[in-house]
Amino acid sequence: MKNLTDQDIEERYRYACEVAVEAANCGFKFYQQRESLVVEHKGDDFQDVVSKADRTVEDLTRTMISSRFPDDDFLGEETGGGDESALCTWVVDPIDGTSCFLNGLHNWCVSIGILVAGQPVVGVVYDPNHRELFRACKGKGAWVNDKPMRVHPGKDVKDGVMGVGVSHRVTPETFVPFIGNLLHKGGMFIRSGSGALMTAWVAAGRLIGYYEPHMNAWDSLPGLVLVVEAGGVSNDFLANHGLLQGNPLLLANETIFAQLSDMITQRLE
């Protein structure tokens, strides 16, 4: 594949928005009939669930992307893939927040990130329940629908609500001390069940930050672009094969990022 021009990236950015909306609309039809879905569990993790809805929506996104950009690489939560050496990789979670989806909670979304030469350049999160399209392209700012986004201007963790996520891929001892440190500093937190959606809320200034001790790339990549383009900062999520193996994720404005980093470090002492 030839090197991508700015126009090539812009074309993929616009198409990612279209794919996210169409995929979420497909998922929403399943959501309205969720009682009839057969639920399966992935491996030994009882909380990690999947249904026909996840697979159907991922198949739709893969088909749409490959029909428009057949030479681009694809990494999906349900079907895998992913090549760290690829020039352009689409990273997709067809339904982030499957447990919420299956239990009738509105905290789920379609998550699409695009890497070019190993760097995150496009992030798209679509929430069909609230008809909100969070979108960003490197160097072009971050938007929710047609409104520009900026991260929370707070100077201290007490100035807003923190988003957090956790899974059984880490032990409670890895995560609980951070929560203790946050509370001791006067902060507060929520866990909505959709990490990708919470990272979009960070970009929109609704949350002061987001932390998860281990997150997969298909949930993390959009937030990396959204938050940075909204004026925030992130850790180096892609270090040490983060694309395929996952990593911790930390997002916030620069001042609060430093405070949160200290809290995470403290728990390791």
Side-chain angles (χ1 to χ4, degrees):
M1 185 193 300
K2 62 181 178 63
N3 292 332
L4 298 186
T5 65
D6 290 345
Q7 183 176 348
D8 293 330
I9 294 173
E10 174 71 18
E11 185 179 359
R12 284 163 172 79
Y13 174 36
R14 294 183 181 279
Y15 192 57
C17 294
E18 295 178 24
V19 172
V21 172
E22 185 162 342
N25 288 338
C26 173
F28 195 77
K29 294 176 182 177
F30 285 104
Y31 184 61
Q32 293 174 306
Q33 304 171 31
R34 57 189 174 275
E35 294 84 0
S36 64
L37 292 172
V38 176
V39 179
E40 302 172 21
H41 300 278
K42 300 179 184 179
D44 297 326
D45 187 350
F46 191 75
Q47 298 297 323
D48 198 359
V49 293
V50 64
S51 75
K52 180 181 178 181
D54 300 82
R55 297 189 178 103
T56 301
V57 174
E58 183 160 315
D59 287 345
L60 172 62
T61 60
R62 182 188 286 271
T63 298
M64 290 183 69
I65 293 164
S66 63
S67 66
R68 182 77 167 267
F69 303 106
D71 294 329
D72 287 3
D73 189 39
F74 183 94
L75 170 62
E77 177 178 10
E78 308 307 332
T79 56
D83 179 356
E84 291 178 301
S85 66
L87 176 59
C88 183
T89 301
W90 295 65
V91 185
V92 173
D93 190 341
I95 299 176
D96 182 47
T98 299
S99 293
C100 296
F101 178 98
L102 294 171
N103 286 287
L105 301 172
H106 291 347
N107 298 326
W108 62 274
C109 64
V110 171
S111 166
I112 299 177
I114 300 178
L115 291 170
V116 175
Q119 297 301 311
V121 298
V122 170
V124 176
V125 171
Y126 185 61
D127 172 3
N129 289 286
H130 300 96
R131 298 180 185 274
E132 288 189 315
L133 179 67
F134 302 87
R135 56 185 178 86
C137 184
K138 186 176 181 180
K140 298 185 177 181
W143 306 78
V144 53
N145 295 335
D146 294 320
K147 182 179 179 181
M149 298 192 294
R150 295 299 294 177
V151 293
H152 196 285
K155 300 299 183 182
D156 191 273
V157 293
K158 297 191 296 291
D159 293 339
V161 179
M162 179 76 185
V164 299
V166 69
S167 71
H168 292 297
R169 292 187 297 274
V170 300
T171 64
E173 292 76 18
T174 301
F175 181 69
V176 171
F178 168 78
I179 294 297
N181 290 333
L182 178 68
L183 294 174
H184 279 301
K185 295 292 186 180
M188 187 46 65
F189 65 92
I190 65 167
R191 180 184 185 275
S192 77
S194 171
L197 194 52
M198 282 191 284
T199 66
W201 294 344
V202 175
R206 301 173 190 178
L207 298 174
I208 60 170
Y210 183 80
Y211 171 60
E212 186 163 343
H214 183 275
M215 201 170 181
N216 290 312
W218 43 81
D219 302 325
S220 307
L221 283 183
L224 296 175
V225 185
L226 289 165
V227 171
V228 170
E229 286 299 310
V233 294
S234 75
N235 65 311
D236 186 4
F237 175 82
L238 290 170
N240 302 316
H241 308 291
L243 177 64
L244 301 180
Q245 298 178 15
N247 257 327
L249 180 68
L250 180 63
L251 303 165
N253 71 33
E254 187 172 359
T255 301
I256 292 177
F257 184 94
Q259 296 175 23
L260 296 170
S261 296
D262 287 343
M263 294 179 192
I264 295 169
T265 301
Q266 288 167 12
R267 69 177 173 79
L268 297 176
E269 294 179 349

